[in-house]
Amino acid sequence: PLFFKAEPHKIGIIFTVMLVAFMAEILVGLRPLKSIWETLKEIRVPLLFFGLLSLIYILATIFSVQPHFSFWSDPARAGGTLNFLFLQAFCLLAFLVIKQDDWKKALNAALAGGVIVCLIAISQQFGLISNNILIHYANRPPGTLGNTDFLATYLLLLFFPALVLGLKEGN
């Protein structure tokens, strides 16, 4: 998240790298196909809803006033059906790739990234770092995400897992 500005091609690049690594694990034999199918069978109901949501998105794109724009969207806004499908595939692949013991590490890495993004936004707001390095914003700093709404949503989505982890570690 530190280097992401809302650009869908970066999500596609990360997804492609994860997909190649996942396929290499399958080909080398580190991850048998039987275990992948068993994992997918365990989550078949959420996968059904995932598929229905994708179908609704695709149908909405086909029947929209501007299907081309609905599919690609504006790169600066990180929207569009293609970006949404990449995000869904990324979530499914992350579920399949990340092992049970590594989820806490992934969450801690996400929280560390959120802290860094938050510190950058604070330094943009109050001008703590020179203007040659970071652009200062008088009202609503975007952090590294390129949009204040994205920053707010990102930090809000990280707040609840941080709260749960904090309460769990506190006990």
Side-chain angles (χ1 to χ4, degrees), residues 21-38:
F22 184 65
M23 297 304 279
E25 283 184 349
I26 291 172
L27 290 175
V28 171
L30 295 175
R31 189 176 301 268
L33 282 175
K34 186 176 181 180
S35 70
I36 295 169
W37 286 116
E38 289 173 4

Side-chain angles (χ1 to χ4, degrees), residues 37-54 88 92 95:
W37 286 116
E38 289 173 4
T39 305
L40 290 175
K41 284 181 185 177
E42 291 175 8
I43 60 163
R44 64 177 167 251
V45 173
L47 277 179
L48 177 67
F49 287 117
F50 235 39
L52 287 174
L53 186 62
S54 298
Q88 280 192 320
L92 180 64
F95 178 77

